[in-house]
Amino acid sequence: MLSLHPVSERDLADLRRFEFDNRAFFEAHINARATSYYADGGIESAIATARREADADTGHQFLIRGTAGALIGRINLSQIKRKHYHSCELGYRIAESENGQGPCEGSSAPRA
């Protein structure tokens, strides 16, 4: 079973490995992240920003872990509009090794 949880500082090592291992794959399909993201402190800064956005309810970032607990993807909710619209933009990145395996089918489904 897949698990989904908010990104936090305890995910740093796994997130760094996920991002570096899949960088070329992601950049072949979507816009590249700034080089500063991959520099020392870049991913730590991104986690801190994600936590601030979650606290302000302006964005939420979640990590997807596979059945063995390995980090296999990310889901991001951005441009959150609660009042009137109750909407947001959904983005995701799935590890190259997990593409075509269906992890996003269950990960992005509405939660009760």
Side-chain angles (χ1 to χ4, degrees), residues 3-20 37 43-48 50-51 61-66 69-75:
S3 66
L4 188 66
H5 69 88
V7 66
S8 74
E9 293 77 10
R10 72 179 176 273
D11 299 306
L12 178 61
D14 288 344
L15 186 55
R16 181 178 284 124
R17 187 171 27 266
F18 172 82
E19 293 290 351
F20 277 87
Y37 181 82
I43 294 176
E44 292 90 338
S45 178
I47 291 172
R51 302 296 292 163
Q61 295 186 26
F62 300 93
L63 300 183
I64 307 166
R65 293 195 178 269
L71 178 58
I72 64 167
R74 304 177 62 152
I75 292 181

Side-chain angles (χ1 to χ4, degrees), residues 84-105:
H84 304 298
Y85 302 105
H86 300 288
S87 66
C88 67
E89 291 183 15
L90 172 72
Y92 61 91
R93 292 174 179 236
I94 300 298
E96 182 175 18
S97 63
E98 296 294 321
N99 263 245
Q101 304 301 312
C104 276
E105 288 181 22

